[in-house]
Amino acid sequence: PVSIPYGSYISWLGRQDTKNAEHFWRKTLAGYTEPTSFSFARNSAQPVEEGKFYGDHRTKLSEAATENLREFARRHRLTLNTLVQGAYALLLSRYSGADDVVFGVTMAGRPATLDAVESMVGLFINTLPLRARIDSRQPMLSWLKELQAGQSELQQYEYSSLLDIQGWSEVPRGVPLFDSILVFENLPVDSTHRAAESKVEFREDRGFGSTTGYPLTILTSPGQR
């Protein structure tokens, strides 16, 4: 079938209310003035040659641990994405010594309000700042539910340009909003999927040589492990 052209998405972007987006991001980032950083991210005395110290580490949880997370998420009506974001927010807080942290989250960027968006070919992905405040007196479950609610609100403005968000924040120009990115992959194609009436088979998805301009990028891929 003929796909809807990518230009339809560009037209949709032009119809979005930037005033509402600006209000949301100014409110969300109010009082945040510098990126949350792991202690080693900015304190190296030696200049870093591009790509020289880039590394790639892979690890897998056990099937039992993975199923425990799924069951916990189902029982409390949370998403696995929320659990991963919560774990990383706590880790970032411990390492940075801050109880108010911001990190980048990568969104699929395909708006549900745009007809046939799933069949369009083009770049929709967007990385946005996620802010998490950690209060040791707050029960973990209620904190996770707040984090998930905030993520749902953020999705309403996932079309926002990171450059615009930077300008609406209190972080000085030229300084990044965040030092790390968390990506949660939730692709509709699994490793055993076969397209209907097709000889094409998806066996494994691997990426090589993909780097970002940030000190740390974390990619989470759900599965049996």
Side-chain angles (χ1 to χ4, degrees):
V2 176
S3 294
I4 304 298
Y6 186 69
S8 299
Y9 172 65
I10 302 299
S11 298
W12 179 88
L13 278 179
R15 295 193 299 270
Q16 302 314 298
D17 191 336
T18 55
K19 289 294 184 183
N20 280 344
E22 179 179 354
H23 174 76
F24 169 78
W25 289 112
R26 286 189 183 278
K27 179 181 176 182
T28 298
L29 297 174
Y32 174 71
T33 59
E34 61 181 352
T36 309
S37 185
F38 282 115
S39 58
F40 54 76
R42 292 181 178 274
N43 294 338
S44 174
Q46 299 296 326
V48 177
E49 296 179 25
E50 185 175 356
K52 184 175 181 180
F53 298 108
Y54 175 75
D56 186 359
H57 177 73
R58 295 171 185 263
T59 187
K60 287 187 177 183
L61 296 181
S62 67
E63 289 189 18
T66 303
E67 182 54 35
N68 285 341
L69 287 176
R70 290 188 192 280
E71 176 56 31
F72 181 86
R74 282 194 295 264
R75 187 165 65 249
H76 298 293
R77 298 189 177 186
L78 296 167
T79 65
L80 279 175
N81 187 21
T82 296
L83 296 187
V84 172
Q85 288 178 352
Y88 183 60
L90 291 174
L91 185 70
L92 188 55
S93 174
R94 295 290 179 88
Y95 271 94
S96 66
D99 57 7
D100 183 7
V101 301
V102 173
F103 53 93
V105 290
T106 300
M107 318 289 289
R110 292 179 181 263
T113 56
L114 181 57
D115 292 339
V117 68
E118 292 298 334
S119 69
M120 290 184 193
V121 177
L123 183 64
F124 296 85
I125 197 168
N126 197 10
T127 300
L128 302 170
L130 177 68
R131 188 175 191 177
R133 295 176 174 87
I134 290 87
D135 183 350
S136 60
R137 298 166 298 179
Q138 184 178 12
M140 178 65 68
L141 191 56
S142 66
W143 178 73
L144 285 170
K145 289 184 175 181
E146 281 186 9
L147 193 66
Q148 182 159 293
Q151 173 82 349
S152 297
E153 188 176 13
L154 183 148
Q155 286 178 327
Q156 299 177 42
Y157 304 97
E158 64 180 349
Y159 57 83
S160 305
S161 159
L162 187 57
L163 183 64
D164 288 339
I165 298 171
Q166 171 84 42
W168 296 329
S169 76
E170 298 172 30
V171 176
R173 286 283 187 182
V175 178
L177 283 172
F178 39 81
D179 263 358
S180 56
I181 299 176
L182 179 64
V183 184
F184 187 89
E185 283 194 334
N186 194 15
L187 302 177
V189 177
D190 64 29
S191 60
T192 61
H193 176 78
R194 285 185 175 86
E197 300 180 3
S198 172
K199 295 182 180 179
V200 175
E201 179 182 351
F202 297 88
R203 295 185 179 180
E204 186 175 2
D205 178 10
R206 291 286 297 273
F208 299 94
S210 177
T211 63
T212 71
Y214 298 94
L216 180 64
T217 299
I218 301 174
L219 174 64
T220 305
S221 299
Q224 285 187 312
R225 297 185 65 186

